[in-house]
Amino acid sequence: MSARRPSRYSWGGDEHLVVQLDEAMSLEVNFAATAMTRALADRQLAGVADICPANASFLVRFDPDVIAPDVLEAQVREVEREVESAPSLALRTRIVEVPVWYDDPYTNETAARFRDRHQRPEGNDLEFAAAENGLASTEEFIARHSGSPWLTSMVGFVAGLPFLYQMVSRERQLQVPKYLRPRTDTPPLTVGHGGCFACVYSVRGAGGYQMFGVTPAPIFDPTQTLGDFADFMVFFRPGDLVKFTAIDERRYREIGEEVSAGTFRFRQQEVEFRLDDFLAAPDEYNAALLEVLDGR
Protein backbone atom coordinates (compact mmCIF):
# COMPACT_ATOMS: atom_id res chain seq x y z
CA MET A 1 0.00 0.00 0.00
CA SER A 2 1.21 3.53 -0.73
CA ALA A 3 2.12 5.78 2.19
CA ARG A 4 -0.50 8.17 3.55
CA ARG A 5 -0.76 10.54 6.48
CA PRO A 6 -1.12 8.97 9.96
CA SER A 7 -4.64 7.93 10.92
CA ARG A 8 -6.47 9.83 13.64
CA TYR A 9 -7.77 7.80 16.60
CA SER A 10 -10.43 9.40 18.78
CA TRP A 11 -13.01 8.31 21.33
CA GLY A 12 -16.76 8.78 21.38
CA GLY A 13 -17.83 8.50 25.01
CA ASP A 14 -16.85 5.30 26.81
CA GLU A 15 -17.93 2.80 24.16
CA HIS A 16 -16.79 4.02 20.73
CA LEU A 17 -13.43 4.22 18.98
CA VAL A 18 -13.33 6.23 15.74
CA VAL A 19 -10.47 5.76 13.29
CA GLN A 20 -10.20 8.32 10.48
CA LEU A 21 -7.78 7.13 7.81
CA ASP A 22 -7.86 10.31 5.73
CA GLU A 23 -9.89 13.47 5.27
CA ALA A 24 -10.76 12.66 1.65
CA MET A 25 -12.44 9.63 0.14
CA SER A 26 -10.46 7.66 -2.44
CA LEU A 27 -10.48 4.08 -3.65
CA GLU A 28 -7.16 3.45 -1.90
CA VAL A 29 -8.35 4.81 1.46
CA ASN A 30 -11.72 3.10 1.30
CA PHE A 31 -10.05 -0.16 0.33
CA ALA A 32 -7.79 0.14 3.39
CA ALA A 33 -10.78 0.84 5.67
CA THR A 34 -12.61 -2.22 4.36
CA ALA A 35 -9.52 -4.40 4.71
CA MET A 36 -8.95 -3.19 8.28
CA THR A 37 -12.53 -3.71 9.42
CA ARG A 38 -12.63 -7.20 7.94
CA ALA A 39 -9.32 -8.13 9.55
CA LEU A 40 -10.50 -6.73 12.88
CA ALA A 41 -13.75 -8.70 12.64
CA ASP A 42 -11.75 -11.87 11.93
CA ARG A 43 -10.02 -11.46 15.30
CA GLN A 44 -13.38 -11.87 17.07
CA LEU A 45 -12.26 -9.76 20.01
CA ALA A 46 -14.33 -10.28 23.15
CA GLY A 47 -16.16 -7.06 24.01
CA VAL A 48 -16.35 -5.71 20.46
CA ALA A 49 -20.06 -5.32 19.70
CA ASP A 50 -20.01 -3.71 16.26
CA ILE A 51 -17.64 -2.49 13.55
CA CYS A 52 -19.06 0.11 11.20
CA PRO A 53 -16.96 1.09 8.13
CA ALA A 54 -17.46 4.41 6.32
CA ASN A 55 -15.93 6.11 3.28
CA ALA A 56 -12.59 7.05 4.85
CA SER A 57 -13.04 5.96 8.46
CA PHE A 58 -14.65 3.39 10.70
CA LEU A 59 -16.21 3.13 14.14
CA VAL A 60 -15.82 0.34 16.68
CA ARG A 61 -18.43 -0.06 19.43
CA PHE A 62 -17.15 -1.99 22.43
CA ASP A 63 -17.83 -2.85 26.06
CA PRO A 64 -15.07 -1.25 28.20
CA ASP A 65 -15.84 -3.70 31.03
CA VAL A 66 -14.77 -6.56 28.73
CA ILE A 67 -11.97 -5.00 26.67
CA ALA A 68 -10.04 -1.98 27.93
CA PRO A 69 -9.79 0.99 25.55
CA ASP A 70 -5.98 0.84 25.38
CA VAL A 71 -6.09 -2.88 24.58
CA LEU A 72 -8.61 -2.29 21.81
CA GLU A 73 -6.59 0.57 20.36
CA ALA A 74 -3.47 -1.57 20.35
CA GLN A 75 -5.31 -4.31 18.45
CA VAL A 76 -6.63 -1.85 15.86
CA ARG A 77 -3.21 -0.27 15.36
CA GLU A 78 -1.71 -3.71 14.86
CA VAL A 79 -4.31 -4.44 12.17
CA GLU A 80 -3.51 -1.10 10.53
CA ARG A 81 0.22 -1.95 10.42
CA GLU A 82 -0.59 -5.30 8.81
CA VAL A 83 -2.70 -3.65 6.12
CA GLU A 84 -0.13 -0.90 5.53
CA SER A 85 2.73 -3.40 5.17
CA ALA A 86 0.92 -5.67 2.74
CA PRO A 87 2.55 -5.45 -0.72
CA SER A 88 -0.90 -5.52 -2.30
CA LEU A 89 -4.43 -5.98 -1.05
CA ALA A 90 -7.21 -8.19 -2.35
CA LEU A 91 -10.78 -8.51 -1.14
CA ARG A 92 -13.05 -11.47 -1.66
CA THR A 93 -16.33 -9.84 -2.61
CA ARG A 94 -19.07 -10.08 -5.23
CA ILE A 95 -20.24 -8.19 -8.28
CA VAL A 96 -24.00 -7.62 -8.39
CA GLU A 97 -26.28 -6.50 -11.21
CA VAL A 98 -28.86 -3.86 -10.25
CA PRO A 99 -31.58 -3.36 -12.91
CA VAL A 100 -32.69 0.28 -13.33
CA TRP A 101 -35.66 1.77 -15.14
CA TYR A 102 -34.06 5.09 -16.00
CA ASP A 103 -36.18 8.20 -16.69
CA ASP A 104 -39.19 6.54 -15.05
CA PRO A 105 -42.48 8.32 -14.28
CA TYR A 106 -42.20 7.94 -10.49
CA THR A 107 -39.00 9.92 -9.98
CA ASN A 108 -39.96 12.38 -12.73
CA GLU A 109 -43.30 13.13 -11.04
CA THR A 110 -41.56 13.57 -7.69
CA ALA A 111 -38.91 15.83 -9.21
CA ALA A 112 -41.61 17.98 -10.79
CA ARG A 113 -43.20 18.55 -7.36
CA PHE A 114 -39.94 19.84 -5.89
CA ARG A 115 -38.60 21.97 -8.73
CA ASP A 116 -38.54 25.04 -6.51
CA ARG A 117 -35.72 23.33 -4.57
CA HIS A 118 -33.66 22.55 -7.65
CA GLN A 119 -30.90 24.41 -9.51
CA ARG A 120 -32.68 23.94 -12.85
CA PRO A 121 -36.47 24.40 -12.68
CA GLU A 122 -37.00 23.21 -16.24
CA GLY A 123 -36.51 19.59 -17.30
CA ASN A 124 -35.75 16.69 -14.99
CA ASP A 125 -32.80 15.47 -12.94
CA LEU A 126 -31.35 13.32 -15.72
CA GLU A 127 -31.30 16.25 -18.12
CA PHE A 128 -29.63 18.41 -15.47
CA ALA A 129 -27.00 15.72 -14.77
CA ALA A 130 -26.21 15.30 -18.47
CA ALA A 131 -25.72 19.05 -18.89
CA GLU A 132 -23.61 19.31 -15.70
CA ASN A 133 -21.26 16.65 -17.06
CA GLY A 134 -21.02 18.17 -20.53
CA LEU A 135 -22.85 15.30 -22.21
CA ALA A 136 -24.99 15.70 -25.30
CA SER A 137 -28.02 13.71 -24.12
CA THR A 138 -29.57 11.75 -21.26
CA GLU A 139 -28.89 8.59 -23.28
CA GLU A 140 -25.18 9.34 -23.17
CA PHE A 141 -25.38 9.95 -19.43
CA ILE A 142 -27.19 6.64 -18.87
CA ALA A 143 -24.56 4.83 -20.94
CA ARG A 144 -21.82 6.35 -18.77
CA HIS A 145 -23.74 5.62 -15.56
CA SER A 146 -24.35 1.96 -16.41
CA GLY A 147 -21.16 1.31 -18.37
CA SER A 148 -18.74 0.63 -15.51
CA PRO A 149 -18.90 -0.95 -12.04
CA TRP A 150 -19.36 0.98 -8.80
CA LEU A 151 -17.78 0.16 -5.43
CA THR A 152 -19.98 0.05 -2.32
CA SER A 153 -17.92 2.32 -0.09
CA MET A 154 -20.28 2.23 2.91
CA VAL A 155 -23.85 1.35 3.90
CA GLY A 156 -25.97 3.59 6.09
CA PHE A 157 -27.76 6.92 6.55
CA VAL A 158 -31.01 4.97 6.33
CA ALA A 159 -31.30 1.21 6.69
CA GLY A 160 -29.57 -0.60 3.84
CA LEU A 161 -28.70 2.44 1.69
CA PRO A 162 -25.42 1.89 -0.20
CA PHE A 163 -23.01 4.69 -1.10
CA LEU A 164 -21.48 3.81 -4.48
CA TYR A 165 -18.22 5.14 -5.92
CA GLN A 166 -17.68 4.90 -9.67
CA MET A 167 -14.70 2.76 -10.66
CA VAL A 168 -13.21 4.95 -13.35
CA SER A 169 -10.36 7.47 -13.36
CA ARG A 170 -11.22 10.55 -11.30
CA GLU A 171 -11.48 12.86 -14.32
CA ARG A 172 -14.15 10.57 -15.83
CA GLN A 173 -16.31 10.26 -12.73
CA LEU A 174 -19.85 11.52 -13.05
CA GLN A 175 -20.47 14.36 -10.61
CA VAL A 176 -23.59 16.37 -9.92
CA PRO A 177 -24.61 18.58 -6.97
CA LYS A 178 -27.44 17.70 -4.63
CA TYR A 179 -30.72 19.65 -4.60
CA LEU A 180 -30.47 23.18 -3.23
CA ARG A 181 -32.89 22.10 -0.48
CA PRO A 182 -33.79 18.48 0.33
CA ARG A 183 -37.06 17.00 -0.85
CA THR A 184 -39.55 15.70 1.69
CA ASP A 185 -40.30 12.71 -0.55
CA THR A 186 -38.33 10.21 -2.61
CA PRO A 187 -39.83 7.05 -4.18
CA PRO A 188 -38.56 3.80 -2.66
CA LEU A 189 -35.66 2.17 -4.54
CA THR A 190 -34.76 5.40 -6.33
CA VAL A 191 -31.30 5.43 -7.89
CA GLY A 192 -29.85 8.78 -6.86
CA HIS A 193 -26.63 10.75 -7.16
CA GLY A 194 -24.97 13.50 -5.13
CA GLY A 195 -21.41 14.75 -5.57
CA CYS A 196 -19.44 11.76 -6.82
CA PHE A 197 -21.62 9.17 -5.07
CA ALA A 198 -24.51 7.13 -6.42
CA CYS A 199 -26.96 5.50 -4.03
CA VAL A 200 -30.14 3.45 -3.93
CA TYR A 201 -32.80 4.76 -1.53
CA SER A 202 -33.91 1.66 0.37
CA VAL A 203 -37.21 3.14 1.56
CA ARG A 204 -39.48 6.08 0.77
CA GLY A 205 -38.48 9.28 2.51
CA ALA A 206 -36.71 12.61 2.36
CA GLY A 207 -33.64 13.09 0.19
CA GLY A 208 -31.46 15.55 -1.67
CA TYR A 209 -29.74 13.46 -4.33
CA GLN A 210 -30.62 13.83 -8.00
CA MET A 211 -33.01 11.06 -9.12
CA PHE A 212 -32.23 9.07 -12.26
CA GLY A 213 -34.55 6.07 -12.09
CA VAL A 214 -35.89 3.23 -9.95
CA THR A 215 -34.93 -0.38 -9.46
CA PRO A 216 -37.54 -3.10 -8.84
CA ALA A 217 -35.02 -5.09 -6.77
CA PRO A 218 -35.38 -4.71 -2.97
CA ILE A 219 -32.20 -3.94 -1.03
CA PHE A 220 -33.76 -3.96 2.45
CA ASP A 221 -36.07 -6.77 3.57
CA PRO A 222 -36.92 -6.72 7.31
CA THR A 223 -39.06 -9.85 6.88
CA GLN A 224 -36.14 -11.68 5.20
CA THR A 225 -38.62 -13.30 2.82
CA LEU A 226 -36.45 -13.29 -0.30
CA GLY A 227 -33.57 -15.72 -0.70
CA ASP A 228 -30.94 -12.99 -0.93
CA PHE A 229 -31.86 -11.87 2.60
CA ALA A 230 -31.71 -15.24 4.36
CA ASP A 231 -28.70 -14.19 6.44
CA PHE A 232 -29.43 -10.50 6.97
CA MET A 233 -32.16 -7.97 6.22
CA VAL A 234 -29.70 -5.60 4.46
CA PHE A 235 -28.45 -6.75 1.05
CA PHE A 236 -25.37 -4.60 0.37
CA ARG A 237 -22.06 -4.88 2.20
CA PRO A 238 -19.03 -2.56 1.98
CA GLY A 239 -16.78 -3.82 -0.78
CA ASP A 240 -19.61 -5.06 -3.01
CA LEU A 241 -19.25 -4.14 -6.68
CA VAL A 242 -22.38 -2.96 -8.49
CA LYS A 243 -23.23 -2.96 -12.19
CA PHE A 244 -26.31 -0.91 -13.11
CA THR A 245 -28.22 -2.31 -16.09
CA ALA A 246 -30.86 -0.30 -17.96
CA ILE A 247 -34.27 -2.00 -18.28
CA ASP A 248 -37.62 -0.95 -19.72
CA GLU A 249 -41.03 -0.77 -18.08
CA ARG A 250 -41.97 -4.28 -19.16
CA ARG A 251 -38.91 -5.80 -17.47
CA TYR A 252 -39.47 -3.59 -14.43
CA ARG A 253 -42.98 -5.06 -14.04
CA GLU A 254 -41.72 -8.62 -14.58
CA ILE A 255 -39.12 -8.31 -11.84
CA GLY A 256 -41.73 -6.76 -9.57
CA GLU A 257 -43.89 -9.87 -10.05
CA GLU A 258 -40.89 -12.07 -9.16
CA VAL A 259 -40.38 -10.05 -5.98
CA SER A 260 -44.06 -10.42 -5.04
CA ALA A 261 -43.88 -14.17 -5.67
CA GLY A 262 -40.75 -14.45 -3.53
CA THR A 263 -38.67 -15.87 -6.40
CA PHE A 264 -36.46 -12.91 -7.28
CA ARG A 265 -32.70 -13.28 -6.85
CA PHE A 266 -30.00 -10.76 -7.73
CA ARG A 267 -27.66 -11.80 -10.51
CA GLN A 268 -24.26 -11.91 -8.81
CA GLN A 269 -20.89 -13.61 -8.87
CA GLU A 270 -18.09 -13.99 -6.34
CA VAL A 271 -14.87 -12.20 -7.34
CA GLU A 272 -11.49 -11.25 -5.95
CA PHE A 273 -10.93 -7.53 -6.29
CA ARG A 274 -7.25 -6.57 -6.47
CA LEU A 275 -6.77 -2.83 -6.08
CA ASP A 276 -3.31 -2.61 -7.66
CA ASP A 277 -4.46 -4.47 -10.75
CA PHE A 278 -7.44 -2.14 -11.10
CA LEU A 279 -5.34 1.00 -10.69
CA ALA A 280 -2.84 -0.23 -13.29
CA ALA A 281 -5.50 -0.67 -16.00
CA PRO A 282 -9.02 0.38 -14.90
CA ASP A 283 -10.88 -0.17 -18.16
CA GLU A 284 -9.37 -3.60 -18.78
CA TYR A 285 -9.98 -4.66 -15.19
CA ASN A 286 -13.61 -3.48 -15.33
CA ALA A 287 -14.15 -5.44 -18.54
CA ALA A 288 -12.83 -8.57 -16.85
CA LEU A 289 -15.16 -8.02 -13.87
CA LEU A 290 -18.17 -7.69 -16.16
CA GLU A 291 -17.18 -10.91 -17.93
CA VAL A 292 -17.27 -12.65 -14.54
CA LEU A 293 -20.79 -11.31 -13.96
CA ASP A 294 -21.83 -12.65 -17.35
CA GLY A 295 -20.38 -16.06 -16.47
CA ARG A 296 -17.55 -15.91 -18.98
Side-chain angles (χ1 to χ4, degrees), residues 83-105:
V83 170
E84 281 290 325
S85 63
S88 63
L89 289 177
L91 291 178
R92 292 300 305 177
T93 186
R94 58 185 176 171
I95 183 166
V96 180
E97 181 182 66
V98 175
V100 182
W101 182 13
Y102 289 97
D103 206 10
D104 67 289

Side-chain angles (χ1 to χ4, degrees), residues 190-201:
T190 288
V191 175
H193 200 109
C196 66
F197 289 103
C199 79
V200 181
Y201 286 80

Side-chain angles (χ1 to χ4, degrees), residues 35-74:
M36 285 181 64
T37 54
R38 290 189 180 188
L40 188 61
D42 288 343
R43 295 193 174 202
Q44 298 182 323
L45 298 175
V48 171
D50 197 11
I51 303 170
C52 182
N55 289 326
S57 63
F58 61 91
L59 178 146
V60 183
R61 183 166 66 90
F62 66 101
D63 183 346
D65 293 329
V66 178
I67 182 169
D70 60 332
V71 174
L72 173 62
E73 181 176 345

Side-chain angles (χ1 to χ4, degrees), residues 47 70 117 171 216 257 259:
D70 60 332
R117 306 176 185 218
E171 67 273 9
E257 291 174 1
V259 172

Side-chain angles (χ1 to χ4, degrees), residues 164-229:
L164 304 166
Y165 190 79
Q166 194 174 23
M167 292 172 53
V168 295
S169 57
R170 188 176 291 271
E171 67 273 9
R172 290 166 54 197
Q173 284 186 331
L174 297 171
Q175 299 198 40
V176 61
K178 296 186 289 185
Y179 275 46
L180 296 175
R181 290 184 293 127
R183 301 177 304 275
T184 57
D185 191 23
T186 306
L189 300 176
T190 288
V191 175
H193 200 109
C196 66
F197 289 103
C199 79
V200 181
Y201 286 80
S202 53
V203 296
R204 183 178 183 179
Y209 278 19
Q210 308 291 333
M211 299 179 292
F212 299 155
V214 289
T215 176
I219 62 171
F220 175 57
D221 180 12
T223 65
Q224 296 182 256
T225 301
L226 296 170
D228 288 320
F229 298 86

Side-chain angles (χ1 to χ4, degrees), residues 221-280:
D221 180 12
T223 65
Q224 296 182 256
T225 301
L226 296 170
D228 288 320
F229 298 86
D231 296 328
F232 193 44
M233 67 180 69
V234 170
F235 179 73
F236 284 110
R237 303 186 291 262
D240 280 346
L241 306 177
V242 172
K243 168 62 170 66
F244 293 119
T245 296
I247 60 173
D248 58 14
E249 180 179 2
R250 179 188 61 80
R251 183 59 184 146
Y252 176 87
R253 305 294 180 198
E254 289 174 351
I255 295 175
E257 291 174 1
E258 293 174 17
V259 172
S260 297
T263 60
F264 173 77
R265 298 297 296 266
F266 279 95
R267 193 161 74 95
Q268 57 184 290
Q269 292 288 344
E270 298 294 320
V271 295
E272 182 179 66
F273 179 35
R274 303 190 69 87
L275 181 62
D276 288 348
D277 292 346
F278 168 79
L279 293 175

